[in-house]
């Protein structure tokens, strides 16, 4: 696995030298764009709008358009020089509870492994975070982009999740056509809560499948075998138009799966207790 960044996690005067690795990998099925007639790949070229010539990478600079058609430009080294001396540092500025951070702030997660000289202090930070149930809020610069970040422990491994700054999030009030804040019908609310409870369980990521990718893989095989590609099955139409009817029908579908009578409430309580124990709540 290739390290994409090297630096150190710092809190106070303590430095933990680390290497950073992506926690995810692209599992999409690669599809290239082809010319329909010749079945040859489409290529893109970096061309200048003025001279219409292809431009090599070493003749490309970055620019900010301060007025239409007018730019201030920056060489690569100028942007490097603007980065602070801490650009190779994950600088923790606060420690907070994980539940205090809304998931909307998170971007991408990375694994952090210790450098050979930092094994001991790496273990110390992992143990300290696990025992206090805290995560570190940090500043980090990766590939010339500054980000807020959360440093936490997952299965005994230090992880860094890049985060948006507050100014980068749109205010929910900007979303058009939001419903007015009004009281909902109590009967509808009770049934909705029952439906949620009936569908509540543990998060088991392995049970969720990328159904589109599975259909695409099957379609590729069918085409290679000269078969006709089967379209995805359409969702069954329903005649339930009323919200109450929809809730009642949904609850009726759940009942065969539930334990009868009083046992269902007991299992609900035990499930909640187990969940609380698992999350440390």
């Amino acid at each position: 696995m290739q390290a994409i960044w090297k630096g150190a996690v710092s809190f106070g005067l303590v430095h933990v030298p680390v290497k950073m690795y992506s926690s995810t990998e692209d599992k999409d099925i690669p599809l290239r764009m082809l010319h329909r007639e010749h079945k040859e790949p489409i290529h893109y070229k970096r061309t200048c709008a003025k001279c219409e010539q292809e431009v090599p990478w070493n003749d490309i600079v970055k620019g900010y358009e301060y007025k239409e058609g007018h730019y201030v430009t920056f060489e690569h080294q100028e942007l490097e020089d603007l980065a602070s001396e801490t650009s190779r540092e994950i600088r923790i500025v606060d420690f907070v509870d994980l539940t205090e951070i809304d998931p909307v702030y998170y971007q991408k997660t990375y694994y952090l492994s210790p450098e050979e000289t930092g094994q001991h202090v790496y273990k110390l930070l992992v143990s300290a975070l696990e025992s206090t149930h805290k995560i570190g809020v940090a500043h980090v610069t990766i590939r010339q982009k500054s980000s807020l970040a959360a440093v936490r422990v997952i299965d005994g491994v230090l992880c860094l999740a890049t985060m948006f700054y507050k100014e980068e999030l749109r205010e929910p009030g900007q979303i058009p056509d939001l419903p007015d804040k009004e009281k909902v019908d109590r009967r509808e609310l009770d049934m909705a809560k029952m439906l949620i409870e009936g569908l509540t369980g543990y998060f088991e990521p392995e049970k969720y499948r990328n159904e589109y990718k599975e259909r695409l893989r099957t379609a590729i095989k069918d085409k290679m075998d000269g078969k006709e590609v089967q379209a995805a099955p359409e969702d069954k139409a329903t005649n339930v138009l009323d919200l109450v009817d929809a809730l009642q029908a949904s609850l009726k579908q759940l009942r065969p799966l539930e334990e009868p009578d009083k046992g269902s409430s007991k299992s609900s309580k035990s499930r909640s207790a187990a969940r609380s124990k698992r999350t440390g709540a």
Side-chain angles (χ1 to χ4, degrees):
M1 190 182 297
Q2 183 75 30
I4 62 173
W5 187 92
K6 290 185 180 181
V9 178
S10 70
F11 57 107
L13 298 178
V14 179
H15 286 253
V16 187
V18 296
K19 292 176 285 189
M20 180 184 293
Y21 301 87
S22 177
S23 67
T24 59
E25 57 183 329
D26 187 2
K27 291 288 189 178
D28 284 345
I29 298 173
L31 296 177
R32 297 194 62 178
M33 287 189 287
L34 308 176
H35 185 193
R36 179 181 285 109
E37 181 181 353
H38 298 128
K39 302 296 186 293
E40 288 293 329
I42 302 298
H43 296 286
Y44 290 91
K45 295 182 179 180
R46 301 177 300 277
T47 58
C48 171
K50 185 174 182 178
C51 67
E52 298 183 350
Q53 298 294 316
E54 186 173 358
V55 182
W57 280 114
N58 59 1
D59 283 342
I60 294 177
V61 296
K62 291 190 176 181
Y64 172 75
E65 188 176 20
Y66 62 90
K67 188 170 68 174
E68 186 174 356
H70 295 267
Y71 299 86
V72 290
T73 61
F74 292 90
E75 298 288 342
H76 176 76
Q77 189 58 48
E78 288 181 297
L79 294 174
E80 286 284 339
D81 293 342
L82 285 174
S84 69
E85 293 181 0
T86 59
S87 61
R88 285 293 172 185
E89 184 177 83
I90 301 167
R91 181 166 51 90
I92 297 176
V93 292
D94 289 303
F95 289 94
V96 302
D97 291 329
L98 177 61
T99 54
E100 292 182 31
I101 301 178
D102 193 296
V104 72
Y105 281 94
Y106 292 118
Q107 294 177 312
K108 182 174 174 59
T109 299
Y110 301 89
Y111 292 133
L112 303 177
S113 74
E115 294 278 16
E116 288 184 10
T117 58
Q119 298 272 347
H120 176 73
V121 69
Y122 181 95
K123 291 179 183 177
L124 175 65
L125 180 55
V126 167
S127 297
L129 291 175
E130 286 180 328
S131 60
T132 59
H133 303 290
K134 300 292 184 183
I135 65 170
V137 178
H139 293 291
V140 64
T141 300
I142 305 173
R143 294 168 179 164
Q144 297 183 349
K145 177 173 172 56
S146 176
S147 295
L148 199 60
V151 178
R152 55 183 296 208
V153 178
I154 300 177
D155 294 333
V157 177
L158 272 185
C159 296
L160 177 137
T162 53
M163 299 166 60
F164 294 106
Y165 286 103
K166 174 67 176 176
E167 64 186 31
E168 296 177 298
L169 296 181
R170 289 177 173 169
E171 292 295 331
Q174 297 177 2
I175 308 303
D177 303 323
L178 292 175
D180 295 329
K181 292 183 179 179
E182 57 184 32
K183 291 184 177 180
V184 298
D185 181 84
R186 183 56 183 265
R187 182 186 175 206
E188 294 173 351
L189 177 60
D190 287 342
M191 285 193 290
K193 288 162 66 176
M194 289 172 62
L195 181 57
I196 289 173
E197 178 61 28
L199 293 171
T200 296
Y202 295 124
F203 176 59
E204 301 174 44
E206 63 276 2
K207 81 176 184 180
Y208 302 104
R209 306 190 329 274
N210 187 333
E211 296 180 357
Y212 169 75
K213 187 170 74 172
E214 292 177 357
R215 290 197 299 269
L216 178 58
R217 186 178 285 117
T218 300
I220 289 173
K221 187 177 185 306
D222 287 345
K223 278 182 172 286
M224 291 173 64
D225 294 340
K227 299 177 183 177
E228 184 177 342
V229 174
Q230 299 295 320
E234 295 184 8
D235 292 334
K236 294 181 180 179
T238 175
N239 295 323
V240 178
L241 302 177
D242 182 75
L243 177 58
V244 173
D245 290 342
L247 288 166
Q248 289 176 334
S250 300
L251 288 170
K252 192 177 293 185
Q253 288 182 340
L254 286 177
R255 280 174 191 144
L257 303 177
E258 294 179 343
E259 295 180 15
D261 306 321
K262 301 175 183 179
S264 60
S265 62
K266 285 184 179 180
S267 64
S268 174
K269 290 180 180 178
S270 61
R271 192 166 60 234
S272 299
R275 189 178 304 113
S276 297
K277 183 178 180 181
R278 185 180 182 185
T279 57

